[in-house]
Amino acid sequence: MRRKGLAIMAVQTVQSGTDATGNGTEAVGSGTEAAGSTGSAGNATIDLGPATALSCRECGERFGLGPIFACVSCFGPLEVAYDLPGGDPEELKKRIAEGPDNIWRYAPLLPVPADVAAKPSLNPGFTKLVKADNLARELGITGSLHIKDDSGNPTHSFKDRVVAIAVEAARAFGFTTLSCSSTGNLAGAVGAAAARAGFRSCVFIPHDLEQGKVVMAAVYGGDLVGIEGTYDDVNRFCSELIGDPLGEGWGFVNVNLRPYYGEGSKTLAYEICEQLGWRLPDQIVIPIASGSQLTKIDKGLRELIKLGLVEDRPYKIFGAQAQGCSPVSTAFKAGHDVVRPQKPDTIAKSLAIGNPADGPYVLDIARRTGGAVEDVDDEQVVDAIKLLARTEGIFAETAGGVTVGVTKKLIETGLLDPSLTTVVLNTGDGLKTLDAVAPTTGPSATIRPSLDAFRAAGLAGAGGEGAAAG
């Protein structure tokens, strides 16, 4: 099976999971049995709203709700299965509209309890969908172009969404420590969410991250541990810790809580469609790190269609990578189903995952929807960051530079239709990745404090001279 390697490190988790008290549990059984005593499908002691079970994305086998993420039969990754609300779509839209201005307005569609909005949380989501007319003109887009700007979240990245969902799972399973392996943004999101929700946090990052992300991850008072190596080395270490007594009582949001964590990205799809007037975008450009965000946005779009909240019509999904870490793009262009790992070498460190867990599923979605996966080099990333800032006043981190740069490239190569409604994701704030643009960005001039010096610098321009003359 081509995806067997995706979840092989979950064997330890499955064999020695954690129950609601933090103690080791027995191995997971087959069928609908749960991971030890972490509950089972329909178990009333675990309230995760409409979530009913975990389902293998490969073989379809089901397991009870618990802190596991791999199928014991085929090692395929698990995802949340639901009993979603039925009835009149207009009534559901009304219910959503009456909810809070954050992701909890979609609680009926998420693995969270009905009273989630009343619990201590950073309450992320419902970020701006910016109609980017200036950028559209620069790129030659004649249709409608929108930037989904997730830098407006509490810790200034989309990771607040996924962590918020993982926190609810951690509460349900009785964990006391929140943890993660991270390229930076997730570490900060976990630290902040843990502080707000009353958890201890201990997060792990590569030792050479951007200083802004390091400081932001550390400031919330939890433990921050730098690991000598790449993100993939950090992730392997975390999988070992989960299988060790040292990790008892720990909820790793992107490992043993990954099925729930991933569902947070669906809220991007929900918001985009609601903000477009309950319409699907024709095209959407999404950055690829592990690939989970892209696959869950697609899942969210399909759920909205199934519920009758949007019209069922075609849409295309495009994945965006940095050339220095582009295993999915490379596989897509070569027509391969297998994603070969790469050693990252790019300024887009938030996307620098050389062995992306959801890579094969990204390939499936891009091909199924008629989209593509493309990449841009570091120089193009920087140019795109500056282009977005100059045209729309949005300072994106390097991942946003990747999506904007790839959008430009897709238009130039004819893969993206400039006449259609297009949404491009910016998943983080440029203040976190200042090093990427600092070498080529600074003062236009440094002058003495006098009008003569200003004139001599040639910066006054015709408008300035006219105003002075008037």
Side-chain angles (χ1 to χ4, degrees):
M1 179 178 297
R2 67 185 174 99
R3 299 188 181 98
K4 185 173 181 179
L6 292 178
I8 195 72
M9 67 180 181
V11 174
Q12 292 174 313
T13 307
V14 173
Q15 291 178 339
S16 57
T18 305
D19 66 12
T21 62
N23 298 316
T25 63
E26 298 175 359
V28 180
S30 61
T32 57
E33 295 176 12
S37 59
T38 55
S40 60
N43 189 335
T45 62
I46 295 178
D47 179 11
L48 289 177
T52 58
L54 297 178
S55 176
C56 177
R57 289 163 73 177
E58 284 293 322
C59 70
E61 187 167 355
R62 290 204 167 198
F63 304 87
L65 298 173
I68 58 172
F69 69 103
C71 175
V72 297
S73 298
C74 72
F75 299 107
L78 302 180
E79 66 177 355
V80 179
Y82 294 93
D83 181 10
L84 292 175
D88 184 1
E90 295 305 316
E91 285 298 316
L92 181 54
K93 288 180 184 179
K94 181 180 178 182
R95 181 179 174 187
I96 290 171
E98 291 173 348
D101 290 335
N102 54 56
I103 62 172
W104 305 135
R105 68 198 285 113
Y106 308 110
L109 312 180
L110 297 170
V112 296
D115 64 348
V116 64
K119 298 183 178 183
S121 169
L122 295 179
N123 299 323
F126 221 64
T127 54
K128 293 179 180 179
L129 184 68
V130 179
K131 194 165 185 298
D133 292 340
N134 296 330
L135 179 60
R137 282 191 292 272
E138 288 271 350
L139 297 180
I141 290 178
T142 56
S144 180
L145 175 65
H146 302 263
I147 303 295
K148 181 57 174 172
D149 186 12
D150 245 27
S151 66
N153 276 310
T155 69
H156 309 290
S157 90
F158 91 96
K159 292 295 187 181
D160 291 322
R161 297 174 181 271
V162 291
V163 171
I165 306 297
V167 165
E168 295 311 309
R171 283 188 174 120
F173 303 139
F175 289 121
T176 56
T177 297
L178 289 182
S179 187
C180 68
S181 53
S182 174
T183 56
N185 283 328
L186 181 58
V190 168
R196 172 69 177 144
F199 286 83
R200 175 191 176 232
S201 69
C202 182
V203 299
F204 301 89
I205 60 173
H207 70 287
D208 60 349
L209 284 187
E210 302 97 334
Q211 186 63 16
K213 290 181 180 177
V214 172
V215 172
M216 190 169 190
V219 75
Y220 300 109
D223 291 316
L224 175 67
V225 181
I227 300 291
E228 295 178 359
T230 67
Y231 171 81
D232 297 291
D233 296 318
V234 178
N235 209 30
R236 281 191 292 271
F237 169 79
C238 288
S239 70
E240 293 176 8
L241 183 55
I242 289 174
D244 190 273
L246 289 171
E248 289 184 0
W250 288 39
F252 286 79
V253 300
N254 56 341
V255 188
N256 58 354
L257 295 177
R258 187 176 183 82
Y260 313 95
Y261 158 95
E263 296 296 287
S265 289
K266 295 193 311 182
T267 61
L268 280 160
Y270 300 157
E271 289 178 20
I272 288 168
C273 290
E274 183 180 0
Q275 290 168 325
L276 287 174
W278 290 111
R279 292 187 300 111
L280 290 169
D282 297 312
Q283 304 168 134
I284 183 167
V285 184
I286 304 168
I288 299 171
S290 71
S292 175
Q293 183 185 69
L294 187 149
T295 62
K296 296 307 179 185
I297 287 176
D298 177 66
K299 182 181 180 182
L301 296 177
R302 288 185 287 114
E303 286 178 351
L304 294 180
I305 292 171
K306 182 178 180 180
L307 291 166
L309 296 179
V310 296
E311 179 187 355
D312 185 1
R313 59 183 181 80
Y315 61 86
K316 293 183 179 181
I317 290 184
F318 296 87
Q321 292 203 288
Q323 197 173 92
C325 185
S326 54
V328 186
S329 173
T330 300
F332 180 86
K333 293 175 182 178
H336 296 162
D337 290 335
V338 175
V339 176
R340 289 181 172 275
Q342 294 181 358
K343 184 175 181 179
D345 182 17
T346 173
I347 60 171
K349 294 183 179 180
S350 63
L351 304 183
I353 297 180
N355 188 19
D358 278 29
Y361 299 102
V362 170
L363 295 174
D364 290 345
I365 291 167
R367 289 165 179 159
R368 170 173 57 80
T369 64
V373 186
E374 186 55 271
D375 56 77
V376 286
D377 63 31
D378 285 355
E379 183 178 352
Q380 291 170 307
V381 171
V382 173
D383 289 344
I385 291 172
K386 293 181 177 181
L387 175 62
L388 180 60
R390 175 172 59 80
T391 57
E392 299 297 342
I394 297 172
F395 184 17
E397 72 163 9
T398 48
V402 170
T403 52
V404 173
V406 162
T407 300
K408 182 175 184 291
K409 189 172 182 179
L410 290 169
I411 293 170
E412 293 169 348
T413 56
L415 293 174
L416 190 143
D417 189 336
S419 69
L420 300 179
T421 298
T422 304
V423 175
V424 177
L425 266 62
N426 171 43
T427 53
D429 195 316
L431 291 174
K432 294 186 175 189
T433 56
L434 289 173
D435 290 351
V437 295
T440 58
T441 307
S444 300
T446 300
I447 64 171
R448 299 187 309 278
S450 74
L451 293 177
D452 287 342
F454 184 55
R455 289 191 183 94
L459 300 175
E465 292 291 347

